[in-house]
Every structure is written in structure tokens, then in C-alpha cells.
Amino acid sequence: MAATTNQPTQTGQEEVTDLSKQYDTPMGLAHSTMQALKDRIKLHYDLASDYYLNLWGEHIHHGYWATDEAKAKDTKEVAQVNLIRLLLEISKLPEGARVLDTGCGIGGTSRFLASELGCTVTGITISTKQVEMATRLTKTEAAKQIQGDDKTVTPDADGFIALGKGKVRFIELDAEKMGEYFASDAGAFDAVWISEALSHFPNKALFFQNAFKVLKQGGKLVLADWFKGEGLDQTQFDNDIKPIEDGMLLPPLCTQPDYVKFATDAGLKVFHKPKDISKDVSKTWDISWSLVQNPSLWAFAFSQGRDGIAFLQAFRAMRRGYSNGSFRYAVMSFQK
């Protein structure tokens, strides 16, 4: 493969590099079936999570830069934690809460809630690889707390690993089955936390119904996610949203009011209305696009077939969607 340079060129609202041109692919293709999509999502995270950790760190979610000063000086790591703190602010999640972290990735938020707030956190993900990585990273952190030469970390009888003031465990589970899986724990969780995972779910209404089932009375659903803008015409949808749905392995994106309706239809009450923070998280994709200008990463993506290349090409679509206002990001919370 010929060597390439990475000098960017500008095309409208997006940045094109020699690497992205070399691996160009048509975008905006429809998914075949929802089950096939779920299988592709699992495969994607099984294959790519090591790259996520190396490129982006333990938190596989957007950063939040709330002020001009933050945008100028805060690192992505600081900004990612600031997004967690924003979610805590809008949900008033108490210390020591029992939390179900849905779509937990490699466990960054789960560990933060356990170590900083003393929460008992169960993280669930569809990816076998992410469970392995999350557990390994948690044991590494837990070992740092142990005094003496023996740093062996042993989970308790329920699989929880003590971390800071709390504890955490990780389970491989399709989140659409969480109502059934946690049937014996119905009404037991103080919070269901879901950050940038619900957009992957084919049946979003079912998720809100299941969250209602597992939450105790007064419990909170804490949510951050990606959305399409309201009132888009067909051209805006085709140009900005379809490439994101294709490359990011998403069923049809919803609007923010769609989530509110799903929640209220399931019996939840709005605790904090949607807060659109698109302009304060969009920097995430500027950083991401810079980070992926690595020939070995594109070669790896190419080896995984079209899904791998479409995923990286979708970074440009994300930047374009934020710039055009057609792609949105919001946080919100609900209460049982």
C-alpha cells in the first residue's frame, strides 16, 4: 500500500484527509434487519474496544466543554468526566446508590460512580470483549487500593469488585432483555444510567419499559444520547443523518421529544427536561478525527470489511451534522 500524507483539505463543513480519500466508501446504506444490526454492533465492539481504549481512554463517550475557557484548556479526559458530572447534576443521584449502567462499555463510568460516589454498580454490555476489558481494568484499579505485597483482587459471591467507597461488576447482556434478566431485582435499582447506548437499540420503547420495571419508586433514569434534529427535510436527512446511522451502526435516530414520549408512556415522569448541549460536545469529533489519522488504524478497519471503514468515515458525517445543526446531543433524566 502506497504511503500517504495526512494534509487536510476542506470540503464544505467537513475535513477530508488523504487517508479518508484512500478508503472512500459510499455512505448512507440501509441496515438489512435489526437482528443483523445487533450482531454487527456486538462484533464491532468485540473487535474495536482495544482501539477505543488506546485512542480515547476508559470513557467511551463525548466530552463536555461547557465554557469558552473549558474549550480552550480542558483535555478530553477532563471533559469526559465533566459529562458524567453534568449527568449527576441533572439527576441528583445520591451517594451509595444501586445503579444499573446500561451499555457500560469498558466500565469507565461504572468505576467512577463506585469509587467517587460509593455506588454499587452493575454494568451490562452486549460485548464479550468489553466485559473482559472492564473487569480487567477494574481489578487493576482495585489492586492499587490494597496494602501489602499481595495485590490479588477477588470478587465477592455476587461478582462485585470493591472499588473506592463502592463496588462494581460487569455482565454480558443484551440490554433489551434486562427486564427479564433482572426480574428478581424488579424495583431494586436507585438508578438506570445509559450514556450514548440507547441510540443503538432497535426497540427504544422497550428499554424505557424495562427501566421502569427495574427502578424502585423514586428511582432515576439518567440519559445522554445522540439525536436527529427536529423538522429535517429529506435532503438534510439524506446528507447528514443517513451516513451517521449507517457508519455508527444505528437504527433510525429519534428526536429528543421522542425519548420524552417513550419515557412518559412507560410511566416515568420528567425529572430534568432535555438539555441540548450539542455545541459543548461537538469538539469530541474534532479530536476524534485527528486521533484516527493513523494508517494502521485505517488498515485494521479495512481488514474488518465495509463496517470498519464506514465507521471511520462516519466521523466526518458527525462533524458535518453538528456543524449544520441536523445532528444533536442532549442529556435528560426521568423518575419513577
Side-chain angles (χ1 to χ4, degrees):
M1 188 176 294
T4 62
T5 62
N6 289 321
Q7 294 302 313
T9 59
Q10 293 297 323
T11 304
Q13 300 291 342
E14 59 188 299
E15 184 180 21
V16 181
T17 65
D18 288 342
L19 271 173
S20 65
K21 287 189 291 184
Q22 182 182 351
Y23 291 99
D24 197 22
T25 187
M27 297 294 289
L29 304 184
H31 304 300
S32 54
T33 67
M34 288 302 102
Q35 183 56 52
L37 176 60
K38 288 168 71 172
D39 292 342
R40 288 161 64 200
I41 291 167
K42 173 177 167 55
L43 178 62
H44 170 80
Y45 284 109
D46 281 345
L47 292 172
S49 288
D50 278 320
Y51 278 92
Y52 278 119
L53 178 61
N54 290 334
L55 289 170
W56 198 240
E58 66 170 332
H59 296 290
I60 307 179
H61 60 71
H62 280 62
Y64 175 55
W65 293 266
T67 66
D68 289 341
E69 182 182 5
K71 290 178 177 68
K73 72 172 188 177
D74 283 355
T75 64
K76 60 182 174 62
E77 292 82 6
V78 169
Q80 287 170 314
V81 171
N82 284 341
L83 180 64
I84 298 173
R85 295 191 188 282
L86 175 64
L87 288 167
L88 290 172
E89 178 185 324
I90 68 164
S91 63
K92 309 302 181 189
L93 185 69
E95 291 192 8
R98 184 179 180 188
V99 180
L100 179 61
D101 185 5
T102 311
C104 64
I106 55 177
T109 296
S110 297
R111 284 187 291 276
F112 182 91
L113 295 176
S115 60
E116 298 295 323
L117 273 76
C119 294
T120 296
V121 187
T122 297
I124 63 172
T125 171
I126 199 172
S127 167
T128 307
K129 179 69 171 180
Q130 287 189 336
V131 170
E132 294 171 354
M133 292 178 66
T135 302
R136 172 173 54 80
L137 291 168
T138 302
K139 286 184 175 180
T140 299
E141 286 301 306
K144 296 175 183 177
Q145 304 173 163
I146 300 175
Q147 302 295 321
D149 295 332
D150 186 358
K151 302 291 186 179
T152 304
V153 175
T154 304
D156 67 17
D158 295 314
F160 285 99
I161 298 169
L163 191 64
K165 300 180 289 184
K167 56 184 179 178
V168 62
R169 65 175 176 175
F170 300 98
I171 298 170
E172 182 181 344
L173 180 67
D174 179 347
E176 291 192 340
K177 299 177 181 178
M178 72 185 201
E180 175 185 349
Y181 185 91
F182 293 107
S184 61
D185 290 319
F189 286 97
D190 297 295
V192 173
W193 185 288
I194 184 163
S195 180
E196 301 177 29
L198 184 52
S199 48
H200 280 305
F201 295 5
N203 192 341
K204 295 175 176 61
L206 177 61
F207 166 76
F208 286 95
Q209 294 162 14
N210 284 333
F212 183 87
K213 289 178 183 178
V214 302
L215 283 171
K216 64 173 55 173
Q217 198 64 36
K220 307 286 180 55
L221 170 58
V222 190
L223 189 155
D225 212 358
W226 312 345
F227 301 90
K228 65 180 179 182
E230 297 177 60
L232 301 182
D233 61 32
Q234 193 62 45
T235 299
Q236 290 172 309
F237 179 79
D238 290 345
N239 288 344
D240 292 351
I241 302 303
K242 283 181 68 176
I244 294 172
E245 292 177 348
D246 174 14
M248 292 293 168
L249 300 175
L250 306 176
L253 280 167
C254 293
T255 63
Q256 296 167 35
D258 289 335
Y259 276 23
V260 174
K261 187 175 189 308
F262 287 141
T264 54
D265 285 351
L268 296 164
K269 298 177 181 179
V270 176
F271 186 79
H272 193 290
K273 67 181 182 180
K275 178 182 176 69
D276 191 309
I277 56 171
S278 302
K279 67 181 179 62
D280 296 326
V281 300
S282 61
K283 182 177 177 179
T284 298
W285 294 97
D286 298 331
I287 296 173
S288 296
W289 188 238
S290 175
L291 287 173
V292 300
Q293 299 312 310
N294 180 325
S296 65
L297 180 59
W298 284 81
F300 168 78
F302 182 75
S303 74
Q304 304 308 312
R306 182 187 175 275
D307 277 355
I309 292 298
F311 172 72
L312 292 181
Q313 293 287 8
F315 285 30
R316 289 163 54 199
M318 300 282 275
R319 298 177 73 202
R320 184 173 64 247
Y322 274 129
S323 178
N324 293 341
S326 55
F327 184 66
R328 314 299 301 173
Y329 191 102
V331 297
M332 59 194 78
S333 60
F334 303 93
Q335 186 170 33
K336 180 172 177 179

